[in-house]
Amino acid sequence: VPDNLVMLPTHLNDNKILNDVGFLKKNFPSRRVVLVTKDINVRLKARGCGIESQDYHSDQLLNDIEQINKGYLEFSGSFWERIENVTTQQEEGKTFHCIARNSFDQEVFPNQFLTDESGFLARVVEVNEEEVKLLHLDPEQLMATETWGLYPQDIYQAMAMDLLLDPDVHLVNLTGSAGSGKTILALAACIEQTVPNKIYRRIIVTRSTQGLDEDIGFLPGTEEEKMEPWLGAITDNLEALHWDDENCGSSMEYVMDKVPLRFKSLNYIRGRSFQGSLILIDESQNLTPHQIKTIVTRAGSGSKVICLGNLAQIDTPYLTATSSGLTYLTERFKNFK
């Protein structure tokens, strides 16, 4: 080791790696030396040592999280002012508009919503190279739609509810800040479709126990009882849906008896297949693309998957908003009708 090379203490493996990279950088000044690691802490340390570092790009579909597909497009003024030709048709009581694909400056994907300042709302049904087919929606009707005692608070919640209640949409991702209503909307839609409507047989709720590899074995009880501390968010929202009941405690037990709600641990979910089920994945921002792929492929025939997450609340040191499984899923499935 050259005398003029400053070394980090070697009692940590991370430091040994950084020392080696620093040695290479010093000995080969004409070459570009880059440390590639998923560990954000090591990347920060490397930056402090003047070493270039980066995350793996093989499983990243975006460079900037601002580019993520939002699920809706907002237009200033009136949407129809920028459209030259439109063909409108009625099918089974629904109104559809067909518009030329080149009328849109940006990319359009199936099940994306279009809204403007004049109160227009539509959902993209089909996209091909020539045209875009839209389903016309009534915002007032959506806002007035009750789902297990819950009404949407704004047009964005109404859009989410429209997708959650549509059995033809097999995968819904809800991302948003804390308190935006992701869990309570999803839960109300799930109960509505299992108890009165019986479209699905059961609700399976699971969530990342931060990183998915932390063992829940030390907690007492059965698999369901072990998962209960992690799924407080679900039971809290279940309670919130029943505040006005005569006896909330009894109604909670009544609901848990009535609603076929099952708590599952992600650790034991591999290899299983759930038929006719609503699969609700909470805190999905903490899952890697590989983990989220494992869970989404558990959906058997007649099942629907709902992923909830907030990309600003990633708890694992090996993921960022761009490399999260939730971002990966959103981007991979944006063309999936």
Side-chain angles (χ1 to χ4, degrees):
V1 177
D3 296 333
N4 61 348
L5 186 67
V6 180
M7 301 284 286
L8 292 169
T10 56
H11 65 291
L12 294 173
N13 287 334
D14 289 355
N15 288 357
K16 290 177 185 173
I17 294 167
L18 289 167
N19 284 339
D20 288 350
V21 179
F23 178 76
L24 288 170
K25 190 174 160 74
K26 190 87 175 171
N27 276 24
F28 301 96
S30 60
R31 303 286 297 275
R32 184 183 176 207
V33 179
V34 184
L35 173 62
V36 181
T37 173
K38 291 208 87 61
D39 194 327
I40 295 168
N41 302 319
V42 176
R43 294 208 299 271
L44 286 171
K45 248 183 175 177
R47 189 184 294 178
C49 298
I51 294 166
E52 189 186 343
S53 64
Q54 62 183 40
D55 195 356
Y56 287 87
H57 293 304
S58 55
D59 56 358
Q60 285 190 26
L61 303 174
L62 295 173
N63 296 324
D64 181 3
I65 198 60
E66 292 299 318
Q67 300 168 334
I68 194 168
N69 172 31
K70 277 200 304 189
Y72 61 88
L73 298 174
E74 289 182 286
F75 296 91
S76 57
S78 170
F79 169 75
W80 293 112
E81 281 175 5
R82 66 203 76 214
I83 306 298
E84 289 179 15
N85 293 315
V86 58
T87 310
T88 301
Q89 60 203 61
Q90 297 279 339
E91 290 176 28
E92 298 173 3
K94 294 177 180 176
T95 305
F96 293 94
H97 306 295
C98 290
I99 296 165
R101 175 70 190 81
N102 56 19
S103 304
F104 295 90
D105 304 332
Q106 61 272 73
E107 280 191 282
V108 187
F109 304 107
N111 295 318
Q112 221 174 17
F113 289 89
L114 310 180
T115 180
D116 69 9
E117 292 171 347
S118 67
F120 166 71
L121 182 65
R123 189 169 116 199
V124 178
V125 180
E126 220 173 288
V127 182
N128 57 40
E129 289 175 11
E130 284 79 41
E131 62 179 20
V132 176
K133 188 177 182 182
L134 306 177
L135 168 63
H136 193 96
L137 297 170
D138 181 354
E140 287 180 16
Q141 193 180 334
L142 282 186
M143 293 292 286
T145 305
E146 182 200 354
T147 308
W148 201 249
L150 196 72
Y151 290 94
Q153 298 294 302
D154 58 31
I155 198 66
Y156 308 105
Q157 287 195 354
M159 292 174 189
M161 198 56 96
D162 186 52
L163 292 175
L164 289 167
L165 293 171
D166 188 342
D168 293 329
V169 178
H170 301 135
L171 176 66
V172 180
N173 288 352
L174 297 185
T175 64
S177 57
S180 55
K182 303 180 294 291
T183 310
I184 200 160
L185 286 172
L187 203 55
C190 287
I191 298 171
E192 185 73 31
Q193 292 174 95
T194 48
V195 180
N197 297 345
K198 294 186 170 51
I199 299 169
Y200 300 96
R201 289 213 317 264
R202 59 186 173 174
I203 306 165
I204 288 162
V205 184
T206 185
R207 74 174 278 186
S208 155
T209 52
Q210 202 267 299
L212 217 165
D213 51 5
E214 289 188 15
D215 202 2
I216 59 166
F218 69 91
L219 290 166
T222 63
E223 182 191 353
E224 293 219 350
E225 288 166 345
K226 285 173 193 283
M227 280 304 288
E228 267 176 34
W230 297 107
L231 292 157
I234 302 295
T235 46
D236 292 349
N237 280 288
L238 206 52
E239 235 170 72
L241 287 169
H242 294 270
W243 280 146
D244 299 333
D245 293 12
E246 211 164 293
N247 183 335
C248 188
S250 304
S251 73
M252 274 290 292
E253 286 169 26
Y254 170 78
V255 168
M256 289 301 275
D257 287 342
K258 277 281 196 195
V259 176
L261 191 68
R262 305 276 178 272
F263 292 157
K264 297 288 177 197
S265 163
L266 290 183
N267 293 0
Y268 314 122
I269 210 167
R270 183 184 288 282
R272 304 186 67 172
S273 185
F274 302 115
Q275 317 288 335
S277 307
L278 280 159
I279 303 164
L280 192 59
I281 309 163
D282 202 14
E283 301 293 339
S284 57
Q285 77 275 3
N286 286 326
L287 301 174
T288 65
H290 174 70
Q291 287 165 339
I292 212 151
K293 213 179 282 184
T294 303
I295 302 156
V296 169
T297 51
R298 299 303 100 221
S301 61
S303 285
K304 178 172 183 142
V305 179
I306 302 165
C307 296
L308 314 173
N310 177 7
L311 291 165
Q313 291 186 336
I314 294 176
D315 303 316
T316 162
Y318 303 110
L319 287 178
T320 60
T322 49
S323 61
S324 163
L326 184 58
T327 306
Y328 183 83
L329 197 69
T330 304
E331 285 303 296
R332 275 276 180 253
F333 277 95
K334 63 187 179 186
N335 289 306
F336 180 61
K337 66 176 184 180

